Amino acid sequence: MNARSGNLPRKTDTTALYERFPHLQGIDLLWGSRECRQYLSNLMTDTRGGKRQGFPAEHAMTVMRLLMEHDRLYPQFENEPLDLRWGDGPMRRTAGR
């Protein structure tokens, strides 16, 4: 399924991801938007205070591929101002270095 008409088609195969996590099919509705970029990024970030279990490796790779493909097709959303509510501030980016 491709997102809204007028958006560039996506090449990443989401079949297995959507079979295991059907609620993620909303990605197709958001594809090509600022909200999609934020949603994909948030999927890869623990926003539950360490209680997020995370995706199995296969599905984490699919989400990462989607994020990278979205950034390639829609670079205007990649470098937007940070949303500090999600822990993307400078302290987090430099932690552990």
Side-chain angles (χ1 to χ4, degrees):
M1 176 182 205
N2 195 16
R4 303 177 303 224
S5 62
N7 286 342
L8 299 171
R10 111 178 120 64
K11 296 179 182 178
T12 301
D13 182 7
T14 56
T15 305
L17 178 70
Y18 291 171
E19 284 176 3
R20 176 71 172 83
F21 302 98
H23 65 282
L24 296 182
Q25 291 180 40
I27 291 168
D28 290 341
L29 298 174
L30 297 171
W31 190 254
S33 69
R34 172 179 290 108
E35 292 79 13
C36 185
R37 181 18 162 119
Q38 291 170 341
Y39 184 67
L40 290 169
S41 182
N42 288 343
L43 287 175
M44 299 304 290
T45 306
D46 182 5
T47 59
R48 299 178 187 167
K51 295 181 181 178
R52 177 169 268 175
Q53 182 178 4
F55 292 104
E58 169 191 3
H59 302 303
M61 288 301 297
T62 300
V63 173
M64 185 55 72
R65 280 189 207 103
L66 285 169
L67 179 60
M68 291 170 41
E69 183 175 357
H70 196 274
D71 285 349
R72 184 176 48 79
L73 295 173
Y74 305 99
Q76 65 270 31
F77 304 130
E78 182 179 2
N79 294 316
E80 292 202 337
L82 300 172
D83 186 344
L84 298 179
R85 292 176 297 165
W86 302 113
D88 288 335
M91 294 300 289
R92 179 170 183 260
R93 287 192 305 252
T94 60
R97 288 188 197 167

